[in-house]
Amino acid sequence: MTYCVGMVLDKGLLFMSDTRTNAGLDNISTFRKMTVWETPGECVITLMAAGNLATTQAVVSLLDERSKSPEERQPSLLTAPSLFQAVRMVAETLREVIEQQGSGGLRADSTFNATLIVGGQIAGSPPRLFMIYPEGNFIEAGRDTPFFQIGETKYGRPILVRAYDPAMSFEEAMKLLIVSFDSTLKANLTVGAPFDYHFYETDSLKRGAQGRIEQDDPYFQAVSKGWGDALKEALDSLPAFSPERR
């Protein structure tokens, strides 16, 4: 399983993904699920993937190959006139890979399914964020849906819904995401550190701050412990249940 989040902020876009893949509790591996392409001054595109590993790696490999030699391999992601058109290319590539591997038509519950988050900015347009479904259709983030989650979404969603604020700085939003990822990690063994992140600042048109957070990272451990202690204190502060009053 996987957990990835893409978030729209006033300052730009924030991406974070785990790296765990497994085929059983005794076969756990680490794979990077985030890919960033850029042409400095022209465009930056970030993709995160959840689903069948063979499918997601094939999609990324095809897009990467076509982007490295745009004069020979068309269409190239980095020559798209808009992010919408770039997302259409990604969706078409996803459909292409699923059709080749599945050879039985597109099905949302297919063994070869995958879900993608794609976001970034192309010069002349604002930053945009999309989620692509296994069937190849997609939706865009907006005021009512300012972030997307893919993979194991349910455990990390409550804190995002309660605490998200578009005016957050990247640092504040990162703290929120670490709490979300920590909650997911503790509830589901198929999600695990290290976690990759990318900050994209609006109109920078270049790759932003990137990094990887290990599970033993001091900041991650401090946030994890602090959040756990705060939850216990909040629970203790609530009035006790009394059967006699009901």
Side-chain angles (χ1 to χ4, degrees):
M1 189 53 80
T2 296
Y3 185 43
C4 302
V5 181
M7 181 176 289
V8 180
L9 301 170
D10 292 343
K11 287 185 170 292
L13 303 173
L14 176 56
F15 305 88
M16 190 165 173
S17 62
D18 86 319
T19 56
R20 175 166 292 183
T21 62
N22 71 300
L25 295 178
D26 60 346
N27 184 16
I28 296 174
S29 302
T30 297
F31 284 89
R32 184 176 179 85
K33 302 171 185 176
M34 181 187 299
T35 305
V36 181
W37 294 276
E38 68 171 335
T39 300
E42 296 182 17
C43 68
V44 178
I45 298 173
T46 301
L47 180 150
M48 297 185 295
N52 180 272
L53 185 61
T55 298
T56 59
Q57 286 195 327
V59 169
V60 170
S61 295
L62 280 170
L63 293 169
D64 197 39
E65 181 182 11
R66 292 165 180 169
S67 297
K68 285 180 178 177
S69 303
E71 70 283 356
E72 298 176 5
R73 296 181 172 89
Q74 293 291 340
S76 169
L77 197 62
L78 296 178
T79 61
S82 68
L83 196 64
F84 180 85
Q85 294 298 329
V87 171
R88 285 189 63 185
M89 292 181 194
V90 177
E92 289 167 3
T93 304
L94 177 60
R95 277 200 303 267
E96 174 187 341
V97 170
I98 292 178
E99 285 176 341
Q100 289 175 349
Q101 294 183 341
S103 67
L106 293 174
R107 290 171 47 206
D109 60 347
S110 168
T111 303
F112 304 104
N113 75 341
T115 306
L116 310 175
I117 291 176
V118 179
Q121 185 175 18
I122 292 177
S125 302
R128 302 173 75 178
L129 183 70
F130 295 84
M131 181 165 67
I132 304 175
Y133 294 101
E135 298 84 354
N137 54 333
F138 52 86
I139 58 174
E140 182 174 4
R143 184 179 299 274
D144 294 329
T145 309
F147 59 83
F148 288 135
Q149 302 167 276
I150 56 176
E152 188 55 77
T153 62
K154 55 185 176 290
Y155 302 108
R157 184 173 181 80
I159 184 61
L160 298 182
V161 172
R162 288 177 178 272
Y164 166 82
D165 185 339
M168 283 179 162
S169 67
F170 283 126
E171 293 77 13
E172 292 170 331
M174 190 65 179
K175 178 169 59 176
L176 173 62
L177 284 186
I178 286 177
V179 171
S180 177
F181 274 71
D182 180 59
S183 300
T184 305
L185 180 151
K186 282 182 166 55
N188 193 308
L189 292 175
T190 66
V191 174
F195 306 123
D196 294 319
Y197 66 87
H198 177 215
F199 301 164
Y200 174 72
E201 186 175 355
T202 298
D203 294 332
S204 64
L205 294 174
K206 64 180 181 180
R207 192 185 303 251
Q210 288 182 266
R212 173 167 282 192
I213 299 174
E214 302 286 348
Q215 190 161 353
D216 60 356
D217 180 274
Y219 179 72
F220 177 79
Q221 289 298 322
V223 172
S224 176
K225 184 178 185 305
W227 179 246
D229 292 344
L231 285 177
K232 292 175 185 176
E233 291 176 9
L235 182 63
D236 290 341
S237 70
L238 295 175
F241 176 77
S242 175
E244 293 79 9
R245 296 169 118 185
R246 297 184 65 80

